[in-house]
Amino acid sequence: MAYATILTETRDRVRYVTLNRPEKRNALSLELQNELIDALEAAEQDDEAGCIVVRGAGPAFCAGFDITPQDRTPGGAKPIRTDINDLRGTTRRLARIWDLSKPVIAQIHGYCVAGGTDLAMHCDMIVAAEDTQIGFPPVRAQGAPPTHMWTYMVGPQWAKRMLLTGDFIDGATAERIGLVLSAVPADQLADEVHTLASRVAMIPHDLLAANKGIVNKAIELMGRTMLQEAARETDAIAHKADAAAEFARIGREQGLKAALSWRDDRFAQ
C-alpha cells in the first residue's frame, strides 16, 4: 500500500516504519496515526518481518499530536463526554501497537515530545540518541497525557517529576531512569537499533509472541487497561482548566507559536 505520511522498508527481517512528515517534525495527524497502524498491522501479518522499528524522518522523532485546527484542537470547548469519546480513538490506536504480537522498537532522536512519548512508550523497547530531548510540556497549560505509561516506565517519583513540570530530559538521563533501554551517540543510533532488532528477529514469531505476551500480561495485572481509561478522562478534565482556555484563546488570536511561547517562555533558564 502507498502511504502519504509513512515510509516502510525491510532489511534483515526488520521492518522499518518511518514517520514521514519531517516538515512538521512528524506531528501525529489523524492521517499519520491511521497509516502508522495500517503499516504496523501489515508487518504483523508479514512472515518476512520478524521485528518492527518505528522511527522518524528528519530532525525529530515526533513533535507530538498535531494540534493545528484542522487536525486536533484542544478539548476545552467540547462537552467533557464528547472529549472523552474523541480521545478514545487515540488510546485505541496506541493500544493496538502495544497489543501487536511482534516486538516493536522505538528509535528516537531529536525531539520526542508529548504524543511522541505516548507513541514511544507503547512500543516494547526504546533506544535513544544521547542528545534526544524527551518531555511532555503540554502539562503546563493544555491538559494531561491521554495515555499513561509513565509510572510503569519510571516509577512514581520520576513520573511526577516529568508531569508536574513539563521539563525535558535528554536521552542519557532517560536511560539512567529506565525510560529508555539504552542511549547512544546520535551517529551510532541506527546501527545500535538494527543490531538489536535483527537479533530479536532471529527468534521464531511464536516464541516472540509468547514471551512478549507474558510481560504484557504482567503489566495488565498492574491495571494498565483501566489506567488508560482513567488517563483519557483525566486529560478531558484537564482540558477544562483556565490555562487551557487561555492557551486556546492565544492560539486562535495570535497563532500556535504565540501560544507555545506563552506556555513555555517562563520555564526557560
Tab-separated table of all heavy atoms in Angstrom, residues 91-137:
chain	number	residue	atom	x	y	z
A	91	THR	N	-6.392	6.513	22.237
A	91	THR	CA	-5.930	5.447	23.117
A	91	THR	C	-6.062	4.076	22.456
A	91	THR	O	-5.217	3.196	22.665
A	91	THR	CB	-6.691	5.474	24.455
A	91	THR	OG1	-8.093	5.323	24.219
A	91	THR	CG2	-6.462	6.792	25.182
A	92	ARG	N	-7.086	3.891	21.656
A	92	ARG	CA	-7.241	2.600	20.985
A	92	ARG	C	-6.162	2.381	19.928
A	92	ARG	O	-5.678	1.250	19.765
A	92	ARG	CB	-8.635	2.512	20.355
A	92	ARG	CG	-9.731	2.256	21.381
A	92	ARG	CD	-11.106	2.208	20.746
A	92	ARG	NE	-12.122	1.794	21.719
A	92	ARG	CZ	-13.413	1.811	21.491
A	92	ARG	NH1	-13.887	2.222	20.321
A	92	ARG	NH2	-14.267	1.425	22.424
A	93	ARG	N	-5.799	3.445	19.207
A	93	ARG	CA	-4.728	3.276	18.217
A	93	ARG	C	-3.407	2.916	18.899
A	93	ARG	O	-2.679	2.025	18.444
A	93	ARG	CB	-4.594	4.545	17.371
A	93	ARG	CG	-5.671	4.679	16.296
A	93	ARG	CD	-5.430	5.880	15.408
A	93	ARG	NE	-5.712	7.125	16.091
A	93	ARG	CZ	-6.918	7.700	16.142
A	93	ARG	NH1	-7.953	7.134	15.570
A	93	ARG	NH2	-7.083	8.854	16.772
A	94	LEU	N	-3.095	3.603	19.987
A	94	LEU	CA	-1.854	3.294	20.694
A	94	LEU	C	-1.903	1.906	21.322
A	94	LEU	O	-0.893	1.187	21.330
A	94	LEU	CB	-1.581	4.366	21.748
A	94	LEU	CG	-1.219	5.738	21.170
A	94	LEU	CD1	-1.236	6.803	22.255
A	94	LEU	CD2	0.144	5.699	20.481
A	95	ALA	N	-3.057	1.518	21.817
A	95	ALA	CA	-3.192	0.170	22.377
A	95	ALA	C	-2.952	-0.892	21.314
A	95	ALA	O	-2.443	-1.981	21.623
A	95	ALA	CB	-4.568	-0.007	23.004
A	96	ARG	N	-3.309	-0.595	20.068
A	96	ARG	CA	-3.074	-1.565	19.001
A	96	ARG	C	-1.585	-1.835	18.829
A	96	ARG	O	-1.185	-2.972	18.553
A	96	ARG	CB	-3.688	-1.057	17.683
A	96	ARG	CG	-3.577	-2.055	16.537
A	96	ARG	CD	-4.428	-3.285	16.784
A	96	ARG	NE	-4.131	-4.345	15.821
A	96	ARG	CZ	-3.416	-5.434	16.080
A	96	ARG	NH1	-2.905	-5.632	17.288
A	96	ARG	NH2	-3.201	-6.341	15.155
A	97	ILE	N	-0.751	-0.815	19.022
A	97	ILE	CA	0.700	-1.017	18.955
A	97	ILE	C	1.144	-1.917	20.102
A	97	ILE	O	1.889	-2.881	19.915
A	97	ILE	CB	1.431	0.337	19.007
A	97	ILE	CG1	1.004	1.220	17.836
A	97	ILE	CG2	2.954	0.128	18.991
A	97	ILE	CD1	1.521	2.644	17.910
A	98	TRP	N	0.667	-1.611	21.289
A	98	TRP	CA	1.002	-2.396	22.480
A	98	TRP	C	0.613	-3.854	22.306
A	98	TRP	O	1.326	-4.766	22.752
A	98	TRP	CB	0.295	-1.784	23.679
A	98	TRP	CG	0.496	-2.477	24.977
A	98	TRP	CD1	-0.370	-3.320	25.600
A	98	TRP	CD2	1.645	-2.385	25.836
A	98	TRP	NE1	0.153	-3.754	26.798
A	98	TRP	CE2	1.386	-3.201	26.964
A	98	TRP	CE3	2.851	-1.693	25.770
A	98	TRP	CZ2	2.299	-3.340	28.004
A	98	TRP	CZ3	3.761	-1.829	26.807
A	98	TRP	CH2	3.485	-2.641	27.901
A	99	ASP	N	-0.508	-4.101	21.647
A	99	ASP	CA	-1.058	-5.450	21.542
A	99	ASP	C	-0.492	-6.265	20.380
A	99	ASP	O	-0.829	-7.455	20.259
A	99	ASP	CB	-2.581	-5.378	21.395
A	99	ASP	CG	-3.267	-4.924	22.680
A	99	ASP	OD1	-2.687	-5.105	23.763
A	99	ASP	OD2	-4.380	-4.375	22.588
A	100	LEU	N	0.320	-5.685	19.520
A	100	LEU	CA	0.912	-6.467	18.442
A	100	LEU	C	1.688	-7.645	19.009
A	100	LEU	O	2.347	-7.530	20.040
A	100	LEU	CB	1.857	-5.604	17.604
A	100	LEU	CG	1.224	-4.511	16.737
A	100	LEU	CD1	2.305	-3.618	16.157
A	100	LEU	CD2	0.372	-5.111	15.621
A	101	SER	N	1.630	-8.781	18.333
A	101	SER	CA	2.363	-9.950	18.827
A	101	SER	C	3.839	-9.889	18.468
A	101	SER	O	4.657	-10.581	19.077
A	101	SER	CB	1.745	-11.236	18.271
A	101	SER	OG	1.910	-11.313	16.871
A	102	LYS	N	4.194	-9.049	17.495
A	102	LYS	CA	5.601	-8.895	17.124
A	102	LYS	C	6.223	-7.740	17.905
A	102	LYS	O	5.567	-6.719	18.147
A	102	LYS	CB	5.741	-8.655	15.616
A	102	LYS	CG	5.398	-9.883	14.790
A	102	LYS	CD	5.614	-9.666	13.312
A	102	LYS	CE	5.292	-10.948	12.532
A	102	LYS	NZ	5.420	-10.759	11.062
A	103	PRO	N	7.479	-7.873	18.300
A	103	PRO	CA	8.138	-6.809	19.052
A	103	PRO	C	8.297	-5.537	18.221
A	103	PRO	O	8.571	-5.583	17.015
A	103	PRO	CB	9.506	-7.403	19.397
A	103	PRO	CG	9.325	-8.881	19.278
A	103	PRO	CD	8.330	-9.074	18.174
A	104	VAL	N	8.138	-4.399	18.896
A	104	VAL	CA	8.273	-3.086	18.262
A	104	VAL	C	9.293	-2.275	19.057
A	104	VAL	O	9.170	-2.127	20.280
A	104	VAL	CB	6.929	-2.338	18.227
A	104	VAL	CG1	7.086	-1.011	17.472
A	104	VAL	CG2	5.844	-3.187	17.593
A	105	ILE	N	10.279	-1.761	18.367
A	105	ILE	CA	11.314	-0.929	18.978
A	105	ILE	C	11.139	0.501	18.477
A	105	ILE	O	11.022	0.730	17.276
A	105	ILE	CB	12.726	-1.442	18.623
A	105	ILE	CG1	12.915	-2.865	19.138
A	105	ILE	CG2	13.806	-0.510	19.189
A	105	ILE	CD1	14.209	-3.527	18.656
A	106	ALA	N	11.122	1.461	19.393
A	106	ALA	CA	11.098	2.872	19.021
A	106	ALA	C	12.537	3.376	18.947
A	106	ALA	O	13.302	3.221	19.905
A	106	ALA	CB	10.303	3.687	20.030
A	107	GLN	N	12.892	3.958	17.823
A	107	GLN	CA	14.215	4.553	17.611
A	107	GLN	C	14.033	6.071	17.648
A	107	GLN	O	13.504	6.658	16.712
A	107	GLN	CB	14.785	4.112	16.264
A	107	GLN	CG	16.098	4.779	15.888
A	107	GLN	CD	16.597	4.338	14.525
A	107	GLN	OE1	16.600	3.144	14.218
A	107	GLN	NE2	17.015	5.289	13.699
A	108	ILE	N	14.432	6.717	18.752
A	108	ILE	CA	14.094	8.126	18.906
A	108	ILE	C	15.335	9.012	18.847
A	108	ILE	O	16.401	8.664	19.339
A	108	ILE	CB	13.282	8.388	20.201
A	108	ILE	CG1	14.098	8.124	21.453
A	108	ILE	CG2	12.020	7.516	20.208
A	108	ILE	CD1	13.376	8.531	22.733
A	109	HIS	N	15.150	10.172	18.230
A	109	HIS	CA	16.227	11.146	18.085
A	109	HIS	C	15.612	12.534	18.064
A	109	HIS	O	14.397	12.686	17.922
A	109	HIS	CB	17.008	10.899	16.791
A	109	HIS	CG	16.264	11.314	15.564
A	109	HIS	ND1	15.161	10.611	15.080
A	109	HIS	CD2	16.421	12.380	14.736
A	109	HIS	CE1	14.704	11.211	13.992
A	109	HIS	NE2	15.430	12.292	13.767
A	110	GLY	N	16.438	13.547	18.170
A	110	GLY	CA	15.926	14.910	18.124
A	110	GLY	C	14.963	15.138	19.268
A	110	GLY	O	15.308	14.974	20.439
A	111	TYR	N	13.735	15.495	18.933
A	111	TYR	CA	12.708	15.713	19.946
A	111	TYR	C	11.701	14.563	19.947
A	111	TYR	O	11.245	14.126	18.897
A	111	TYR	CB	11.976	17.030	19.694
A	111	TYR	CG	12.763	18.238	20.179
A	111	TYR	CD1	13.640	18.899	19.331
A	111	TYR	CD2	12.639	18.682	21.491
A	111	TYR	CE1	14.385	19.987	19.779
A	111	TYR	CE2	13.366	19.764	21.952
A	111	TYR	CZ	14.239	20.414	21.090
A	111	TYR	OH	14.974	21.484	21.544
A	112	CYS	N	11.367	14.115	21.151
A	112	CYS	CA	10.291	13.154	21.373
A	112	CYS	C	9.375	13.818	22.390
A	112	CYS	O	9.650	13.818	23.596
A	112	CYS	CB	10.852	11.836	21.896
A	112	CYS	SG	9.598	10.580	22.255
A	113	VAL	N	8.313	14.434	21.902
A	113	VAL	CA	7.543	15.384	22.694
A	113	VAL	C	6.093	14.930	22.808
A	113	VAL	O	5.494	14.469	21.826
A	113	VAL	CB	7.594	16.794	22.053
A	113	VAL	CG1	6.841	17.811	22.910
A	113	VAL	CG2	9.030	17.234	21.836
A	114	ALA	N	5.513	15.089	23.994
A	114	ALA	CA	4.068	14.944	24.206
A	114	ALA	C	3.567	13.632	23.593
A	114	ALA	O	3.946	12.558	24.038
A	114	ALA	CB	3.335	16.161	23.663
A	115	GLY	N	2.712	13.710	22.560
A	115	GLY	CA	2.196	12.492	21.948
A	115	GLY	C	3.281	11.584	21.400
A	115	GLY	O	3.071	10.378	21.265
A	116	GLY	N	4.448	12.144	21.095
A	116	GLY	CA	5.577	11.309	20.697
A	116	GLY	C	6.012	10.386	21.815
A	116	GLY	O	6.439	9.253	21.564
A	117	THR	N	5.887	10.853	23.068
A	117	THR	CA	6.218	9.975	24.191
A	117	THR	C	5.155	8.896	24.350
A	117	THR	O	5.479	7.751	24.685
A	117	THR	CB	6.380	10.763	25.504
A	117	THR	OG1	5.128	11.324	25.912
A	117	THR	CG2	7.400	11.874	25.355
A	118	ASP	N	3.876	9.247	24.128
A	118	ASP	CA	2.823	8.223	24.161
A	118	ASP	C	3.136	7.122	23.151
A	118	ASP	O	2.998	5.925	23.453
A	118	ASP	CB	1.465	8.848	23.821
A	118	ASP	CG	0.932	9.751	24.923
A	118	ASP	OD1	0.649	9.256	26.017
A	118	ASP	OD2	0.790	10.956	24.665
A	119	LEU	N	3.521	7.524	21.944
A	119	LEU	CA	3.843	6.557	20.900
A	119	LEU	C	5.027	5.692	21.309
A	119	LEU	O	4.970	4.456	21.237
A	119	LEU	CB	4.136	7.291	19.593
A	119	LEU	CG	4.706	6.460	18.443
A	119	LEU	CD1	3.787	5.304	18.094
A	119	LEU	CD2	4.952	7.350	17.222
A	120	ALA	N	6.109	6.315	21.737
A	120	ALA	CA	7.320	5.556	22.069
A	120	ALA	C	7.070	4.574	23.208
A	120	ALA	O	7.534	3.432	23.172
A	120	ALA	CB	8.451	6.520	22.435
A	121	MET	N	6.297	5.003	24.219
A	121	MET	CA	6.099	4.147	25.384
A	121	MET	C	5.106	3.024	25.145
A	121	MET	O	4.956	2.141	25.994
A	121	MET	CB	5.696	4.992	26.589
A	121	MET	CG	6.867	5.782	27.146
A	121	MET	SD	6.545	6.554	28.765
A	121	MET	CE	5.565	7.960	28.258
A	122	HIS	N	4.427	3.036	24.008
A	122	HIS	CA	3.597	1.890	23.650
A	122	HIS	C	4.357	0.879	22.796
A	122	HIS	O	3.799	-0.155	22.431
A	122	HIS	CB	2.315	2.349	22.943
A	122	HIS	CG	1.254	2.760	23.917
A	122	HIS	ND1	1.274	3.974	24.552
A	122	HIS	CD2	0.165	2.107	24.399
A	122	HIS	CE1	0.233	4.059	25.360
A	122	HIS	NE2	-0.446	2.933	25.295
A	123	CYS	N	5.616	1.171	22.506
A	123	CYS	CA	6.483	0.179	21.884
A	123	CYS	C	7.102	-0.682	22.985
A	123	CYS	O	6.998	-0.376	24.174
A	123	CYS	CB	7.566	0.875	21.056
A	123	CYS	SG	6.918	1.873	19.681
A	124	ASP	N	7.738	-1.759	22.600
A	124	ASP	CA	8.266	-2.699	23.585
A	124	ASP	C	9.601	-2.276	24.155
A	124	ASP	O	9.910	-2.580	25.317
A	124	ASP	CB	8.397	-4.090	22.952
A	124	ASP	CG	7.065	-4.613	22.477
A	124	ASP	OD1	6.173	-4.799	23.330
A	124	ASP	OD2	6.888	-4.802	21.255
A	125	MET	N	10.396	-1.599	23.365
A	125	MET	CA	11.692	-1.077	23.803
A	125	MET	C	11.908	0.265	23.125
A	125	MET	O	11.398	0.503	22.037
A	125	MET	CB	12.828	-2.045	23.448
A	125	MET	CG	12.806	-3.353	24.233
A	125	MET	SD	14.084	-4.530	23.696
A	125	MET	CE	13.229	-5.337	22.325
A	126	ILE	N	12.675	1.131	23.804
A	126	ILE	CA	13.023	2.429	23.245
A	126	ILE	C	14.534	2.559	23.277
A	126	ILE	O	15.163	2.357	24.330
A	126	ILE	CB	12.409	3.588	24.052
A	126	ILE	CG1	10.904	3.411	24.230
A	126	ILE	CG2	12.716	4.925	23.385
A	126	ILE	CD1	10.287	4.404	25.212
A	127	VAL	N	15.123	2.889	22.138
A	127	VAL	CA	16.543	3.194	22.064
A	127	VAL	C	16.659	4.635	21.582
A	127	VAL	O	16.020	5.027	20.601
A	127	VAL	CB	17.287	2.235	21.121
A	127	VAL	CG1	18.772	2.572	21.073
A	127	VAL	CG2	17.088	0.778	21.567
A	128	ALA	N	17.466	5.428	22.278
A	128	ALA	CA	17.513	6.872	22.033
A	128	ALA	C	18.917	7.336	21.704
A	128	ALA	O	19.910	6.756	22.171
A	128	ALA	CB	17.008	7.629	23.269
A	129	ALA	N	18.997	8.402	20.949
A	129	ALA	CA	20.242	9.152	20.860
A	129	ALA	C	20.467	9.851	22.192
A	129	ALA	O	19.521	10.282	22.864
A	129	ALA	CB	20.167	10.180	19.729
A	130	GLU	N	21.720	9.975	22.604
A	130	GLU	CA	22.021	10.556	23.905
A	130	GLU	C	21.505	11.985	24.040
A	130	GLU	O	21.150	12.425	25.135
A	130	GLU	CB	23.530	10.539	24.156
A	130	GLU	CG	24.097	9.155	24.379
A	130	GLU	CD	25.601	9.149	24.492
A	130	GLU	OE1	26.261	10.075	23.951
A	130	GLU	OE2	26.131	8.203	25.104
A	131	ASP	N	21.465	12.705	22.925
A	131	ASP	CA	21.038	14.105	22.984
A	131	ASP	C	19.554	14.296	22.676
A	131	ASP	O	19.081	15.427	22.569
A	131	ASP	CB	21.878	14.971	22.044
A	131	ASP	CG	21.799	14.520	20.584
A	131	ASP	OD1	21.140	13.494	20.294
A	131	ASP	OD2	22.398	15.204	19.723
A	132	THR	N	18.800	13.203	22.539
A	132	THR	CA	17.353	13.319	22.354
A	132	THR	C	16.747	14.113	23.501
A	132	THR	O	17.124	13.946	24.661
A	132	THR	CB	16.706	11.925	22.322
A	132	THR	OG1	17.287	11.156	21.280
A	132	THR	CG2	15.204	12.012	22.094
A	133	GLN	N	15.785	14.972	23.183
A	133	GLN	CA	15.058	15.732	24.199
A	133	GLN	C	13.651	15.137	24.342
A	133	GLN	O	12.883	15.097	23.382
A	133	GLN	CB	14.976	17.198	23.818
A	133	GLN	CG	16.333	17.890	23.795
A	133	GLN	CD	16.942	17.962	25.186
A	133	GLN	OE1	16.359	18.546	26.106
A	133	GLN	NE2	18.117	17.379	25.351
A	134	ILE	N	13.333	14.665	25.549
A	134	ILE	CA	12.094	13.939	25.819
A	134	ILE	C	11.297	14.688	26.882
A	134	ILE	O	11.835	15.026	27.949
A	134	ILE	CB	12.401	12.517	26.323
A	134	ILE	CG1	13.297	11.765	25.331
A	134	ILE	CG2	11.107	11.742	26.576
A	134	ILE	CD1	13.930	10.505	25.905
A	135	GLY	N	10.021	14.960	26.612
A	135	GLY	CA	9.217	15.635	27.620
A	135	GLY	C	7.768	15.770	27.209
A	135	GLY	O	7.391	15.473	26.068
A	136	PHE	N	6.963	16.245	28.160
A	136	PHE	CA	5.528	16.429	27.929
A	136	PHE	C	5.125	17.839	28.363
A	136	PHE	O	4.365	18.032	29.333
A	136	PHE	CB	4.711	15.371	28.686
A	136	PHE	CG	3.399	15.051	28.027
A	136	PHE	CD1	3.234	13.911	27.275
A	136	PHE	CD2	2.319	15.925	28.143
A	136	PHE	CE1	2.022	13.621	26.653
A	136	PHE	CE2	1.110	15.653	27.532
A	136	PHE	CZ	0.959	14.498	26.782
A	137	PRO	N	5.597	18.887	27.657
A	137	PRO	CA	5.296	20.262	28.062
A	137	PRO	C	3.830	20.654	28.030
A	137	PRO	O	3.465	21.639	28.694
A	137	PRO	CB	6.139	21.109	27.100
A	137	PRO	CG	6.452	20.217	25.942
A	137	PRO	CD	6.542	18.842	26.510
